[in-house]
Amino acid sequence: MIKALVDEQAEVVELETKLRKYKDRTLPFFRTISHPDILSSLILETPLDTICTFLFGPNGRRAINLFKATTSALGALAWDETAKDEELTSIAVTASLAVLERIVELNQGAQVITEFTSIVNDLSTTIPEQLLQVGSRSLARIRQRLGVGAAMPLSGDRPPEQKRHGPVFELGSDLPGALSELGPRHDNDHANIFDIKILPTTDEIQSPRLEYLPSSDPTKQYLPGLAGLLDRQFRLLREDTVGQFRDAVQMECKRLTRPANAQSPPKRQNNGVRNIIYQNVALLRLEFDRKRGLQVVAEFDQPPALAKKGAKEREKWWRNTKQLEIDAFVCLVSSTGRVIFFSVCDPAPTPPPKNKSDEERDDRLARYWRASDQRPNLFKHADRATLMLSLVEDHSEDITWINGHLGKARKLRQSLVEFPGILLPSFQPTLQAIQKMSRTLDLPFSQFIAPDIQHAGNVEIPAPAYSRRPGFAFNLETLTGGEPLRLTPGQPFDDTTLRERSTLDDAQRRSTINALRSCIALIQGPPGTGKSYTGVAIIKALLKNRNVAQLGPIICVSYTNHALDQLLEHLVKDGVEQLIRLGSRSKSDLLQDLNLHQISKEIRPTKTEGYEKHRLYENLDIVLDEIEELMPGLRDPAHWSNVKDYLETHQNSHSQQLFGRGVDENGFQEVKGKKFNVLNSWINGAPKRITSTRAVSELLNANLKDMSGLERSALHKHWVQQSTRELNRRFLHLLDSYRHIRDSLKKCHQELDLRCLLRAHVIGVTTAGLARNLDVLRRVRAKVVMIEEAGEVLEAHTLTALLPSVEHAILIGDHEQLRPQINNYEFQYDNPRGAKSSLDISLFERLIHPQSGYPKLPYSSLEVQRRMYPSIAELIRSTLYPKLQDHLSVSTYPEVDGMRKRLFWLDHNEKEDASPSNPGQSFSKTNSWEVEMTAALVSHLVRQGIYRNEDIAVLTPYLGQLQKLKQRLRSTFAIVVGDRDLEDLEAKGLEDDNGEETSATTGSVRKTTLLNALRIATVDNFQGEEAKVIIISLVRSNDERNCGFLKTSNRINVLLSRARYGMYIIGNAHTARCVSMWDQVITILENDGNLGQTLALCCPRHKGTPIEVSEPDDFSILSPEGGCDRKCISRLRCGHACINKCHSEPLHDAVRCLERCQRVKQGCDHACPKVCGDPCGSKC
């Protein structure tokens, strides 16, 4: 039918007939295959691609004929004065361009066929510009793929062209792949990033040459524009993630390939990624799981730390160290040179499905519940540990190698290298997305993000494409409390109504309006200025216009799960409906029922989907049964039954000679009452008189009885090899079938997810979750994406979030706060050697502060902070944010109870702890004196009795110090008074790490550890959060004046901007002062009298009593109960005197009186026998 349609169009000559055929036949066909629901369907993707490939035809002739006729018909339709239906013309242009785009995308050959370029040029000149606008996105994509001039901007005018610079290379730069003067470095070194495997190959690991790493300077990249940007982001991100564990594997490869007597024990590297090496690895057997696919059981030596330990101790050690947990990323390294990547998987097999007959299910269950002692176990055996591994990538050569190296008998030197900090899903999907983008070059706003030509100065950003349609105006009633207000992009806007009726401040209003007016909007928000609040206002305004603008779902992206939960909770509480959250890491109770996994359970599949899933599961069972039949042969390739099966198929004469008389299930034959093994008897039963040594090729047709012993052994070896090769071939074919079925089933499940997402108004997802779900999210046709924490997101992740359908991107963040986290210090902007890479510069920061050659985009800034007391805010206002203003509310904050000042730097000269001599220990820094001082100050604040567990936070830059603080605070108990009951506390996780209960309550009084009375975190993990009181342990105190992590203004900024009421810094000012920003901060504190070597406390009852502390022990002497050293003079509620030292009112009310109870029991004259502080019994 399709061929007839194409041929019919090509044969028509008269224009009138061509137009009629197009309207009656071609256009309905185009509208069908370009319908959004068809294009977005995962199940229909393959059939649609088949149709488009057929339309392309041999050498593109079929598509050329079809679209030449289509171009003529569209021109006639567009300029026909009698045609009244302008909507039909728009639909025809949109559908035709969408089909052509799909054909060109699928067939790279179109790029070299000049007729396609002519068709595109004819379309551009034949159809009026206003009609082409409806298909501008498809036309731009077609031009990009065909290389027709520069890609047309997706929105707005083209930036002014300047003279384009030719490629410039750094002196001595060794280009990638075939472009290198020395040739490719290895088999994974390619000029095109699409051809690079994500995980390193064995050849790459063993290569001595350094990888090609492009510069951040666009003039020094060998590819221009967007292609150059994607090339740079891919190579740098891959080197930052893959490069470090590649180098660790290379070291282990070199160790194993040295002679056994020259080998040294594996050593942990002092730099690079953390890794743990397990020695003397053997691959025992293959398993196959219904859900996880091919698995390998591996065995290795127990770690030296477990020598002479019992089974329970071994189990505890493995559990506490968290080594080789499920999903851990590991690498098998063999002395043969083979390197294979695995992930650790659950040793318990997937249970059989429930849709089987009782008999079949019972049989499968019996196999499923195999004896527990056969399952891999890390701790059961004293000398050797076993675990189940799953291949990360199913390469046929790896599987064949594994099949040939199974069993303990293999005397190979093999190690297993574990990388505890690496999770493959955290970087692999992003890298794969960039590779795909490098093929399609379909990034929105590429003319601003990665222009092909050099720019100077600022550029004007046009309005979103959807808002430039005639008659469109934004309805802003959600911002004005219902008061009518319209914003027409490109027209003057009177914000009087918005200023009078909105709850936004001036800067937030300007930012909101600018965000709606710009197709790519940047909003910078200093700490506490309401970035999330502004983001919510923008989203609500967009949702008000959702139907008119046909926006589809708005995608909200955040770097962290915490920030995403906060944003989505704000939207839900403000009444936003149809919201879906992707990902399983949410900790919000409010969002639990809005998770995609939960919602998709309520969607019923269509009959077609149900039939397809049923068919796929049936095929899966067939494949699994065939694999199960093959597994015994794979586990024992030399088994007699494998030889018998091979001979029956390939050498029937030999089969008849050996097994023609029949054998039992064990390969035995009975002759004269005696049983003998047929195959072994033949191998070992050669007459001694036969001594011939013919080649195997001559033996294939010879009589088995006429062969010598050597010939029989050689022929048997040949049979085993051929049988094994045949088994491997069949097994790999079945694996391909299994993977194809699993992929098809995944698409069926994703189709249900897609149906849910298409009904959503807002979709919330993290950057990592977006990359993992890219195939589905690309199909929701979202026109708006908002990225929060944009200054903390790697550019590669931001580029991935800019889906091809996006017409409006809003980036909210602060480039003055934390930059994106990367692994390799050599790529950091603050490292003099890393400046040329600058991988930790976000797209948000690069667009605001561009390098030479990139355009500078306009951005809005929020200016009013509502978090910090003015004196605290002054520390970042004077150093980073000169326009930052204080909201009136922050001046009314109460004083910090128990303290004389709300802001103070306790200066000291106590040195940081020495680095550990054992290279296997952590290299993180600690300071024991600051640990004790921090614990004492925390205890003092908690004793004031008014701060809840979320009100106080302890921050430090180092994980080592964090661990020491946790251990110290966990061992100290305090009385906490609050209005939450025990169940609420337990729900908040207030229990010790060992699972023991740490709080006991009677009413509202609780005993708990100091650790549970506050929050404690590293600086990097506290961005976006705040607390009433912040205590900071700087750690670094040394003669070299080395500040370590806190030498960058970004981290200092985050550290100093978390406190609301009060902030106390414990650190060596002399060490810190060598950093410019610290010097400014210290000067401000000195001028205000907020820096010294003694800290002033304040007794809540005797405020005039001076209390100065400079050592941890001073607190217990001068303020033992959180007050002063006087005795409490207030009486208890019962009337007895308080025997404690001076303390706060809440703690005074919590004192248990130990005097004899004077109350008389009701109903008798007896005195209560209990102490006064205990409740009296109801009966005598």
Side-chain angles (χ1 to χ4, degrees), residues 278-286 296-301 332-334 342 384-389 401-402 405-416:
Y278 307 94
Q279 299 188 67
N280 297 326
V281 177
L283 303 181
L284 300 184
R285 64 181 183 274
L286 293 177
V296 183
V297 178
E299 182 184 69
F300 57 90
D301 289 346
L332 175 74
V333 184
S334 173
F342 294 91
R384 303 280 280 174
T386 54
L387 79 165
M388 187 77 81
L389 300 174
W401 185 90
I402 291 171
H405 294 80
L406 292 173
K408 295 183 180 180
R410 297 286 176 180
K411 300 300 182 183
L412 295 176
R413 296 195 298 275
Q414 296 183 148
S415 299
L416 201 63

Side-chain angles (χ1 to χ4, degrees), residues 97 117 119-125 127-159 161 226 440-448 450-453 462 465 468 519 804 806:
L97 287 174
T117 301
I119 289 171
V120 172
N121 291 332
D122 290 345
L123 280 168
S124 302
T125 56
I127 303 173
E129 186 175 349
Q130 66 270 21
L131 287 175
L132 271 181
Q133 184 65 35
V134 297
S136 61
R137 178 171 291 277
S138 292
L139 187 58
R141 292 279 298 280
I142 295 168
R143 285 176 168 271
Q144 283 180 325
R145 294 296 286 166
L146 297 179
V148 183
M152 289 183 64
L154 302 185
S155 55
D157 297 327
R158 186 185 302 225
E161 292 194 11
L226 178 58
T440 58
L441 295 177
D442 55 0
L443 180 75
F445 323 118
S446 59
Q447 68 270 38
F448 305 119
D452 288 328
I453 55 179
R468 299 201 302 271
C519 66
V806 168

Side-chain angles (χ1 to χ4, degrees), residues 955-975:
L955 302 183
T956 182
Y958 290 97
L959 282 170
Q961 187 77 344
L962 178 77
Q963 187 61 28
K964 276 202 167 187
L965 283 165
K966 288 179 70 174
Q967 292 172 352
R968 178 66 179 83
L969 296 173
R970 186 184 294 121
S971 64
T972 306
F973 285 82
I975 298 296

